Amino acid sequence: MQRERLGSRLGFILLSAGCAIGIGNVWKFPYMVGQNGGGAFVLIYLFFLLVLGIPVMTIEFSLGRASQKSPVRLYQQLEPKGSKWHYHGYVALSGNYLLMMFYTTVGGWMIQYFLSTASGKFNGLSTQQVEEAFNQSVCGNPVTMVGFMALVVVLGFFICSFGLQRGLERVTKYMMIALLVIMVILAINSFTMDGAKEGLSFYLKPDFQKMQEIGVGNVVVAAMTQAFFTLSLGIGAMAIFGSYIGKERSLMGESINVAILDTFVALVSGLIIFPACFTYQVEVGSGPSLIFVTLPNVFNNMPMGNLWGALFFVFMTFAAFSTVLAVFEDILSCCMDMFGWSRKKACLINCLLLLVLSLPCALGFNLLAEVHPLGGSTTFLDLEDFLVSNILLPLGSLIALIINMIYFMVRRSMKFTELMDCLPEGFKQMVPAILILCLAWTIGDVTKALGAPEFVADLVSKFGPGLKNFLPAVVFLIAAFLGFATGTSWGTFTILL
């Protein structure tokens, strides 16, 4: 079967950026800024995005382009004969399914909130009443939860069924352009608010004293983690788009373009939200409830609040749906490669499959509310998000780095000992130690998540609470080591492929 191609470079950039740009940029980034001291967090986040995100993204693109296969088959194409790296292809595919099992539910929330805000359903409600509406009318109603989740799934596969150029690329182009325009309009409106000066000062002016109060280590880890996960790395979501572009494109340049768009959306989200928070005396560090509980109350008190609220949740819907479409394409490509299905057959089967797989998350807030997979008050969404964010994404990026190293050495007839000899004295002992720590932290997370004996997790935790959160730093260090070893900046030695 001939490999499909994107119709234009703009389509590739917007589609890849659409995969990276998601709810995490608009929902998670602002409240993490609020919880971690404002401008100091932003500064550190940008640093790690530059030195961590772009190299690993380039590596994922290179895997896709070198193999010309979907994530589930690319390892078989590149790995040395007799090795078992291709098993990770199936893990990556599982990660895509797992991500969509909860992401479709959250995307449904965005559509429902857009309709509620546009119709004035939240008008006159206090913050507490908005919270009750979210918990009871939205999450507590299994019919609406399943209905809006199903709408996201069916609409997503319907668009993908038209093909790469006529469906996914065409819709994503218009959606991403509309998203960027709406963001600029909302940001300009926020600049006119009374609390704009205070909000922008909090957001853009680094306050290192406040950073010290929160804890320098906490802020650095939070910024590093956000920079790592914002680009959707580790489950092949970016590798698939690398397989759709030709060798005349610079992978480093395309990665920079995608990272710029992703960062633009995250930063402008803060420009929209923080002036409004300071104008209406809203707690900027209120966490995930900032979007679904706090902001609707802000729109209630804002002139033309229904209009601005509706625009905001249209923007949120586009951000969520752009990721849904990109990951659906990843899933479809894997199924077509594995089973030889046509695109329409793959869309139909996967649509039915995801409708079933997404039910635990959609029903986890109502009919299955008594089930707590991770203990406490956790839901299926918490479990699925934990497995993807804390396990599959960082571990997948680590494996992508290793596969790139192996493929590079085989392609260039370079032995492992020669690679190690390129490293400064002391680094040779650090590389194996870093790999062991990565696995130890991951195993510790898994044992905690599954309630298994926690001797491994306890062994890791005695080195300090939150140590597992340094996994993004580990991946960055490995990328830096490989870059130094091959004499190529940014660790993106695969640019030579």
Side-chain angles (χ1 to χ4, degrees), residues 381-439:
L381 187 152
D382 297 313
L383 171 63
E384 292 161 1
D385 182 33
F386 171 81
L387 291 175
V388 172
S389 300
N390 290 51
I391 308 295
L392 296 179
L393 291 181
L395 186 60
S397 292
L398 177 61
I399 291 175
L401 287 166
I402 295 172
I403 286 291
N404 260 270
M405 181 179 68
I406 293 173
Y407 179 63
F408 177 82
M409 289 188 293
V410 171
R411 181 78 175 271
R412 308 298 174 189
S413 299
M414 187 176 185
K415 297 179 181 179
F416 183 72
T417 53
E418 293 172 344
L419 175 64
M420 295 298 287
D421 286 342
C422 294
L423 298 174
E425 198 62 38
F427 277 23
K428 301 174 187 179
Q429 291 76 28
M430 291 175 65
V431 173
I434 289 171
L435 294 176
I436 292 171
L437 281 175
C438 284
L439 293 175

Side-chain angles (χ1 to χ4, degrees), residues 45-108:
Y45 163 79
L46 292 175
F47 169 76
F48 281 112
L49 193 72
L50 186 67
V51 300
L52 166 64
I54 292 175
V56 177
M57 184 187 296
T58 305
I59 285 173
E60 280 217 13
F61 281 152
S62 71
L63 284 173
R65 188 167 74 175
S67 66
Q68 290 295 292
K69 299 291 183 181
S70 65
V72 79
R73 291 297 189 211
L74 68 84
Y75 294 100
Q76 293 176 343
Q77 188 78 9
L78 301 179
E79 68 182 359
K81 291 183 179 180
S83 63
K84 305 298 182 184
W85 290 105
H86 60 274
Y87 288 137
H88 180 256
Y90 301 105
V91 176
L93 176 59
S94 301
N96 281 275
Y97 279 115
L98 195 59
L99 176 63
M100 290 297 99
M101 284 164 60
F102 69 89
Y103 213 94
T104 50
T105 295
V106 180

Side-chain angles (χ1 to χ4, degrees), residues 216-281:
V216 175
N218 293 333
V219 176
V220 170
V221 168
M224 195 160 37
T225 303
Q226 177 67 10
F228 181 76
F229 293 119
T230 189
L231 296 176
S232 303
L233 304 172
I235 55 175
M238 287 300 177
I240 185 61
F241 299 117
S243 72
Y244 292 146
I245 59 175
K247 289 184 176 291
E248 71 277 3
R249 306 276 177 81
S250 166
L251 296 181
M252 169 64 82
E254 304 298 2
S255 297
I256 291 174
N257 290 331
V258 172
I260 287 173
L261 270 179
D262 180 80
T263 306
F264 173 80
V265 171
L267 293 178
V268 175
S269 297
L271 297 179
I272 295 169
I273 291 174
F274 288 113
C277 288
F278 277 83
T279 298
Y280 295 100
Q281 306 301 312

Side-chain angles (χ1 to χ4, degrees), residues 316-372:
M316 290 289 291
T317 300
F318 284 171
F321 206 64
S322 64
T323 300
V324 167
L325 289 177
V327 178
F328 278 5
E329 176 61 26
D330 201 6
I331 292 173
L332 292 173
S333 180
C334 289
C335 290
M336 290 188 288
D337 275 358
M338 285 193 298
F339 306 115
W341 293 342
S342 67
R343 176 174 284 270
K344 292 189 182 298
K345 182 178 181 179
C347 284
L348 177 60
I349 293 175
N350 279 286
C351 180
L352 296 175
L353 182 61
L354 266 174
L355 284 173
V356 175
L357 292 176
S358 301
L359 286 176
C361 180
L363 299 177
F365 297 89
N366 37 75
L367 299 183
L368 300 178
E370 298 303 317
V371 180
H372 305 295

Side-chain angles (χ1 to χ4, degrees), residues 8-58:
S8 65
R9 183 188 180 200
L10 178 63
F12 167 78
I13 293 173
L14 291 179
L15 195 55
S16 301
C19 182
I21 294 169
I23 297 171
N25 296 70
V26 190
W27 176 17
K28 188 177 180 182
F29 181 74
Y31 81 70
M32 287 191 72
V33 172
Q35 291 177 338
N36 290 282
F41 172 88
V42 175
L43 195 62
I44 299 170
Y45 163 79
L46 292 175
F47 169 76
F48 281 112
L49 193 72
L50 186 67
V51 300
L52 166 64
I54 292 175
V56 177
M57 184 187 296
T58 305

